[in-house]
Amino acid sequence: MCTFLAFYLHMSKLFCNFAVDFRNCSIVYIYILIVYLSALFNRKAKLLVRGTRAALAELRGKTAEDRLTIEGMKGCVWFHAASVGEFEQARPIIERLRREHPERKILLTFFSPSGYEMRKGYNQVDKVSYLPFATRLNAKRFVQAYEPSMAIFVKYEFWPAYLKQLRKRGIPTYNIATIFRKSQAFFRPWGMPYRRLLRCFTTLFVQDERSLELLERYGYQNAVVAGDTRFDRVVEVLRDKREISQLMRFTEPEVNALHFDSAPPKVIVAGSTWPKDEELLARYLSEHPDIKLVLTPHEIGAEHLHQIFNLFQGQLVRFSEATLMNVNTNRVLLIDRMGMLSRLYRFATVAYVGGGFGAGIHNTLEAAVYGVPVVFGPRYHKFREAEDLIEHGAAFSVNDYRSFAAAMDETLAHPEEYGRKAEEYVRSEVGATDKIYNALFNN
């Protein structure tokens, strides 16, 4: 069962980023079968099956309420994101559209259960839904029901059945915040079917010049460099001044009879961590008793939290149980709630971004915008901003405990120097939202 689950998770990641539509859609149907079988014992697969069924039932319009809902959304602007990270890239455009054109209907769809579950109550759009599995019939039903005025896919969402249906109906279709690399399937000797999909887009808004040059080399003239909207998004988050009293207390100087004017403690804020990240952090804290840690794990299930408790025995308090009385008596504050991370990095002396010992690092910009140095694991090369932060002298990549400890020692000793470079880099990259929004809605 574990092997089967691992296969499902691998396939889910693969199809979340890319899908191929053969003449008989065999790969899509094999994937759907895998998801349905996995739903017997996997919560995320179960949510995906349940969500796509509900979306399809609504499309069929079996109830008067469903028919009214769909009818009211006709002509909408449709945004599609795989999961939470891609949604954050669409968010600045969505919210500007809502401010400037409140009369326009906005539809937001997700492929991932984690994306849908976290943002199903998002009030800046008129409707949030799962995207039904990408069969030809589902795509036809979906596009015919909503009749979107335009479709905007975020980053690596290339669903052939949907793209072809949109093109067939002459609906303007856009892709935003994408990076293209020579190693991708589009540009392999056998990649012609993949490359053809790119002609379904009215415009590809890519992140950098290298992506544009690569596309032009293959004869594509429908791409422009716009940058990454996440830079604009993190600058918006920076303006959020809501107080988090437990964090403020946790990071206050310790006051005692001998040192009334103690300096604030040095604090590592670790975001979206996995077990390997947490092992490094626990060892470092054991060797540096003057350091505090704010730990935000990527998964907050009971099993993972139990592992974290074992790593930081006797030093940890959960945010859900933290009070102004007990929070400053512990060295580790465990954030056991979702949706807080982007506001926590302002309390950091140094930020550690997790995921780099697995599939890839999480969002480094959320930390860098606060002017703090950033440390992460070795798998960062698919993330332009991570490479740029290293190049600008604002971040360090580590691959074992020795390099981890060295990076932490250096950044904790000189946080202002490295942090200033991080903030300067983020500020230099803002503006993608204006470019994309003006091209889409101000022409």
Side-chain angles (χ1 to χ4, degrees):
M1 182 176 289
C2 291
T3 302
F4 189 79
L5 177 58
F7 179 64
Y8 157 71
L9 293 173
H10 171 74
M11 291 293 288
S12 179
K13 180 69 175 177
L14 173 65
F15 274 82
C16 201
N17 290 333
F18 201 85
V20 184
D21 188 22
F22 286 105
R23 185 175 297 275
N24 60 2
C25 297
S26 58
I27 289 184
V28 173
Y29 284 107
I30 290 170
Y31 173 66
I32 293 171
L33 176 62
I34 291 171
V35 173
Y36 270 76
L37 290 173
S38 300
L40 297 174
F41 53 84
N42 180 269
R43 178 178 174 273
K44 284 190 175 181
K46 187 180 296 184
L47 287 172
L48 181 57
V49 169
R50 187 184 303 160
T52 52
R53 279 177 174 171
L56 283 172
E58 193 171 48
L59 288 178
R60 294 187 182 107
K62 291 186 176 180
T63 69
E65 183 180 356
D66 288 345
R67 289 192 292 273
L68 282 172
T69 299
I70 298 296
E71 190 65 30
M73 292 297 297
K74 285 188 181 295
C76 62
V77 178
W78 171 29
F79 290 85
H80 175 67
S83 192
V84 178
E86 291 80 7
F87 161 75
E88 289 296 323
Q89 290 177 297
R91 188 170 183 171
I93 299 171
I94 292 172
E95 295 184 356
R96 183 167 172 184
L97 178 61
R98 174 59 78 213
R99 288 194 307 271
E100 297 188 7
H101 294 282
E103 77 284 356
R104 301 196 73 163
K105 298 292 184 179
I106 304 175
L107 170 66
L108 173 63
T109 60
F110 286 100
F111 176 82
S112 161
S114 57
Y116 175 82
E117 292 300 321
M118 184 172 287
R119 296 302 176 190
K120 60 186 177 184
Y122 181 54
N123 63 7
Q124 296 297 300
V125 300
D126 297 281
K127 183 173 177 57
V128 182
S129 174
Y130 277 95
L131 183 69
F133 290 119
T135 66
R136 291 180 181 177
L137 179 58
N138 287 349
K140 182 178 180 179
R141 282 175 174 162
F142 185 93
V143 176
Q144 187 173 350
Y146 285 107
E147 296 179 6
S149 58
M150 71 170 63
I152 302 167
F153 292 78
V154 185
K155 210 166 184 178
Y156 301 124
E157 285 295 278
F158 303 102
W159 292 104
Y162 284 98
L163 292 174
K164 291 176 181 178
Q165 189 64 217
L166 290 164
R167 186 177 188 180
K168 179 180 179 180
R169 293 175 177 271
I171 296 171
T173 304
Y174 304 93
N175 181 267
I176 65 171
T178 309
I179 294 179
F180 289 98
R181 299 179 180 87
K182 183 67 176 176
S183 60
Q184 291 169 325
F186 302 103
F187 311 109
R188 297 295 181 88
W190 38 263
M192 180 60 74
Y194 299 86
R195 289 198 297 274
R196 287 193 186 121
L197 292 177
L198 301 181
R199 300 203 182 277
C200 294
F201 291 101
T202 308
T203 307
L204 295 153
F205 293 98
V206 298
Q207 287 193 27
D208 57 20
E209 290 288 344
R210 284 178 294 182
S211 298
L212 179 66
E213 292 170 3
L214 184 58
L215 289 169
E216 289 180 343
R217 198 180 311 159
Y218 282 83
Y220 291 90
Q221 302 299 319
N222 59 335
V224 297
V225 177
D228 188 348
T229 53
R230 283 182 303 166
F231 289 93
D232 305 294
R233 174 60 189 156
V234 296
V235 171
E236 287 180 11
V237 174
L238 184 66
R239 302 189 185 105
D240 186 343
K241 302 298 183 183
R242 284 178 291 173
E243 293 186 354
I244 307 176
S245 56
Q246 296 95 322
L247 267 295
M248 296 175 70
R249 176 65 177 141
F250 183 71
T251 56
E252 283 180 351
E254 293 185 15
V255 178
N256 55 54
L258 298 177
H259 302 284
F260 288 101
D261 58 347
S262 302
K266 293 183 177 180
V267 179
I268 300 170
V269 174
S272 295
T273 58
W274 295 84
K276 175 64 175 179
D277 305 308
E278 291 145 11
E279 290 170 11
L280 296 175
L281 290 160
R283 181 175 173 183
Y284 189 78
L285 254 67
S286 70
E287 297 175 2
H288 297 80
D290 58 326
I291 304 297
K292 287 191 170 185
L293 172 66
V294 178
L295 182 65
T296 307
H298 185 72
E299 299 283 352
I300 56 174
E303 183 178 350
H304 191 191
L305 293 184
H306 181 71
Q307 294 173 352
I308 293 172
F309 277 111
N310 288 337
L311 276 175
F312 299 98
Q313 293 179 8
Q315 305 178 81
L316 179 149
V317 62
R318 294 173 65 150
F319 180 82
S320 60
E321 299 172 355
T323 68
L324 297 181
M325 298 296 293
N326 68 13
V327 70
N328 210 22
T329 61
N330 292 273
R331 293 184 59 208
V332 181
L333 179 58
L334 172 62
I335 308 300
D336 54 357
R337 291 182 184 174
M338 302 295 288
M340 292 182 62
L341 179 57
S342 61
R343 294 188 289 130
L344 301 180
Y345 286 119
R346 66 185 171 105
F347 297 98
T349 310
V350 173
Y352 179 83
V353 177
F357 289 93
I361 60 171
H362 296 279
N363 193 337
T364 56
L365 298 179
E366 290 180 336
V369 71
Y370 286 100
V372 298
V374 186
V375 179
F376 43 78
R379 295 185 180 174
Y380 66 90
H381 296 287
K382 291 184 178 180
F383 302 88
R384 177 179 71 94
E385 67 280 2
E387 293 182 330
D388 288 349
L389 283 167
I390 292 175
E391 186 178 329
H392 282 75
F396 290 84
S397 173
V398 300
N399 52 33
D400 53 23
Y401 180 72
R402 182 177 179 180
S403 58
F404 174 86
M408 283 297 173
D409 289 347
E410 176 64 19
T411 52
L412 287 166
H414 307 285
E416 294 85 4
E417 176 185 344
Y418 294 107
R420 175 177 47 79
K421 294 174 181 178
E423 184 178 11
E424 288 174 353
Y425 166 67
V426 173
R427 296 287 182 180
S428 71
E429 292 285 329
V430 298
T433 300
D434 285 344
K435 292 177 184 176
I436 297 171
Y437 185 88
N438 289 334
L440 295 182
F441 303 107
N442 287 340
N443 277 340

